[in-house]
Amino acid sequence: MEKPNVYFSKIITPERVIDMYKCIDLKLEGNIGVKVHSGEDGNQNYLRPEFLKAMIDYVSGTVIECNTAYSGERNTTSKHQRLIAKHGWNKYFPVDIMDENDDDIVIDIPNGKTIKKDYLGNHIQRYDSILVLSHFKGHPMGGFGGALKQLSIGFASSRGKAYIHSAGRTLDQYNLWNDLPPQNDFLSSMADAASAMHNLYKGKIIYISLMVNMSVDCDCCSDAEDPCLKDIGILASTDPVALDQACVDLILQSKDKGRDHFLERVNSRNGTYILECAEQLGFGSREYNLIDIDN
């Protein structure tokens, strides 16, 4: 098989995000959902709507999100809507909380390694194509979060998030944390869910990841560490596995003094196991062509 292309630029501006989108030989059409992480209340590292405005306006997209499955300001629709307003998302864009009525649709995952179903926010059915804007950073449970985390946890309804985190043990967000599965079962469940979402929109989905504000903690953390790495750049691909692998590789190659601290978070959670599982599921490749568009 031909290696997928991953495009890269060290230039980090709103206009450069659009340039990265244009590198992809695919035109998103129809009603376009743009998946972002709206940021937990108190988090200082999430991507701001002002920075993403040019890109989202370029595709005339609707910002899409789902409620969470943990305590905080995004686990109910009413709280999430207030926080979206506080963070300024609905000042610039139409925003759709896809499981706002506590509803979801179920996608089968026949070849899933750990889970066989994916529970997505019900409103996903409104969208003809998808742009995934990911903030690459660390994660307290997954080791790192990028395109695959957005595809799995990000698009899952609140129940779906509980289902993935519990490796299929429960749909109940309130009992989720009482009996967590082995770490690799959680990671393979994320890969399973990511495969379902990617395959649902195969040929109609583009991924852009921004390696900025890279803390060891996720944007879902209200009390997150400050970034430990200098900003690296923007990457884009139609292959989410290659994209995440490229981000990991850029950190492995980094001489930044914060590199080891970041990698300790990744390795202590066996974070790259999700890449192994995703490649085995056949919806992406860990081998890729990195194309530096600055040269």
Side-chain angles (χ1 to χ4, degrees), residues 50-289:
E50 292 82 2
F51 185 86
L52 298 177
K53 185 178 186 303
M55 179 70 256
I56 298 172
D57 286 350
Y58 184 80
V59 296
S60 301
T62 296
V63 165
I64 53 178
E65 260 281 34
C66 284
N67 292 325
T68 62
Y70 52 83
S71 60
E73 296 305 310
R74 300 185 302 135
N75 64 346
T76 68
T77 297
S78 59
K79 287 197 293 183
H80 202 170
Q81 286 173 334
R82 286 195 295 270
L83 187 58
I84 281 169
K86 179 179 177 181
H87 285 176
W89 293 101
N90 61 359
K91 175 182 176 182
Y92 301 108
F93 322 110
V95 178
D96 183 2
I97 298 175
M98 294 187 291
D99 61 339
E100 68 173 334
N101 298 314
D102 195 27
D103 51 356
D104 39 46
I105 62 166
V106 184
I107 306 296
D108 289 329
I109 317 172
N111 65 332
K113 294 169 65 67
T114 301
I115 58 174
K116 302 295 184 182
K117 294 183 182 299
D118 189 22
Y119 295 79
L120 301 171
N122 182 273
H123 295 177
I124 192 65
Q125 299 171 95
R126 297 175 174 177
Y127 301 98
D128 303 301
S129 52
I130 300 290
L131 174 60
V132 180
L133 298 177
S134 300
H135 176 205
F136 187 86
K137 67 282 179 190
H139 193 275
M141 291 187 67
F144 73 88
L148 292 174
K149 178 182 173 290
Q150 279 276 54
L151 274 178
S152 55
I153 302 294
F155 282 94
S157 65
S158 184
R159 274 193 295 272
K161 287 178 172 64
Y163 197 71
I164 295 167
H165 276 92
S166 68
R169 297 182 185 195
T170 184
L171 290 165
D172 184 352
Q173 62 169 308
Y174 301 105
N175 292 322
L176 161 64
W177 308 104
N178 297 328
D179 184 24
L180 290 174
Q183 176 69 357
N184 281 0
D185 288 353
F186 163 57
L187 294 168
S188 64
S189 295
M190 279 209 293
D192 290 338
S195 74
M197 180 60 203
H198 176 82
N199 290 333
L200 184 65
Y201 279 91
K202 191 172 183 178
K204 298 180 290 184
I205 187 166
I206 289 174
Y207 305 93
I208 299 176
S209 290
L210 291 99
M211 299 186 75
V212 300
N213 301 343
M214 287 178 287
S215 166
V216 297
D217 289 325
C218 181
D219 298 342
C220 56
C221 300
S222 59
D223 185 19
E225 270 194 25
D226 287 335
C228 63
L229 289 165
K230 293 178 182 176
D231 295 348
I232 291 177
I234 308 173
L235 296 89
S237 184
T238 56
D239 185 322
V241 184
L243 185 60
D244 274 3
Q245 183 67 63
C247 291
V248 170
D249 289 344
L250 285 169
I251 290 177
L252 287 168
Q253 296 159 15
S254 171
K255 293 181 171 44
D256 193 298
K257 63 181 181 181
R259 167 187 176 274
D260 290 348
H261 181 54
F262 190 94
L263 290 176
E264 190 280 330
R265 173 59 59 90
V266 176
N267 295 332
S268 65
R269 273 63 167 180
N270 197 25
T272 57
Y273 184 64
I274 191 176
L275 298 170
E276 296 177 35
C277 295
E279 186 174 55
Q280 290 167 8
L281 288 165
F283 71 101
S285 169
R286 297 182 74 182
E287 296 187 357
Y288 56 89
N289 300 311

Side-chain angles (χ1 to χ4, degrees), residues 35-47:
K35 181 65 182 72
V36 304
H37 194 304
S38 56
E40 184 54 70
D41 194 26
N43 185 277
Q44 72 274 37
N45 300 320
Y46 71 96
L47 299 176

